[in-house]
Amino acid sequence: AALAAAPPPPAPASANQGPLRLGPHPGRVVALDLKIPLKYARELVRRARRGDEIARRTVAPSAAFWTALKNSGREAELHRDELYVREVPPPPPAFDEHRHAGVICDGCDKRPIVGARYHLVGQDYDLCGACKAQDQTSRPFVRINAPKDARRVISEATEAAQAAQTAAVAAAAQASAAEADEADAALQAAVAMSLQDLSSMAAEDARAPDSDEESAVLVEKLVEDA
């Protein structure tokens, strides 16, 4: 008797079997999971729903990602504008969390300075916030909040210090010139006074008798008149 034909083997389970379990926003789930632009993820989902085997195999594993996302309460991530990274980026740090890479505190040797940086104008000297609070001197420090502002702040402070120094030198030179003028005027006054004294003495000498004989004649005349 003829042998009965063996039944064909069962067909392997296809990825097209069953619905796509990607939540109410499948395109966003796929974009967030695969880190691709949203428009490309939506196109993949559309093709998968139309029976595209490659598209379905590509997006089907995102079902596990959607389940984990839902269970952790992170569904809000699906509504971000950028869908390239899985985790929500941290907010930008405040200025006191900035790290001044390569800058060492000359007070406590902290490296790098984190937070506000205090730079001594005209010197290679920096302090962190804690050391600056303990500094009781009147040295000219400038505060640098963000590393990106360091070059601009230091340049402006250096220019201001140089301008102040130039003004101080000019003022000192002007004061010295004024003092020199006063001294010269006093000297000229003293010379004039001395010349006046000499003139007075010369006039008195001119009025005085030239000899003893003239003095005797003058006395006799005074006697006769008396």
Side-chain angles (χ1 to χ4, degrees), residues 11-15 17 57:
S14 172
Q17 296 177 355
R57 289 181 182 275

Side-chain angles (χ1 to χ4, degrees), residues 117 144 146-158:
R117 167 191 172 189
I144 304 172
K148 62 182 180 63
D149 298 331
R151 180 173 298 180
R152 175 183 57 82
V153 173
I154 293 175
S155 177
E156 292 177 353
T158 302

Side-chain angles (χ1 to χ4, degrees), residues 100-106 110-114 117 119 126-127 150:
H100 299 266
V103 181
I104 304 174
C105 176
D106 291 291
K110 180 180 180 180
R111 60 184 71 189
I113 293 179
V114 179
R117 167 191 172 189
H119 178 76
D126 297 275
L127 294 178

Side-chain angles (χ1 to χ4, degrees), residues 74-208:
R74 295 160 51 204
E75 296 95 329
E77 294 184 26
L78 297 176
H79 302 285
R80 301 203 327 267
D81 292 335
E82 297 291 337
L83 295 176
Y84 298 95
V85 294
R86 180 170 300 183
E87 298 299 333
V88 178
F95 74 86
D96 57 351
E97 296 176 356
H98 285 173
R99 299 170 63 87
H100 299 266
V103 181
I104 304 174
C105 176
D106 291 291
C108 64
D109 202 29
K110 180 180 180 180
R111 60 184 71 189
I113 293 179
V114 179
R117 167 191 172 189
Y118 294 87
H119 178 76
L120 182 60
V121 179
Q123 302 292 332
D124 184 15
Y125 190 89
D126 297 275
L127 294 178
C128 64
C131 292
K132 180 61 177 66
Q134 300 176 1
D135 183 70
Q136 302 298 325
T137 65
S138 58
R139 295 177 294 179
F141 283 92
V142 290
R143 174 170 174 159
I144 304 172
N145 292 331
K148 62 182 180 63
D149 298 331
R151 180 173 298 180
R152 175 183 57 82
V153 173
I154 293 175
S155 177
E156 292 177 353
T158 302
E159 291 177 359
Q162 291 176 348
Q165 184 177 6
T166 301
V169 171
Q174 186 176 2
S176 298
E179 292 177 358
D181 291 342
E182 292 180 0
D184 187 56
L187 178 60
Q188 291 180 1
V191 170
M193 185 176 296
S194 299
L195 292 175
Q196 185 177 2
D197 292 342
L198 290 175
S199 299
S200 300
M201 292 174 62
E204 291 178 359
D205 290 342
R207 291 192 300 268

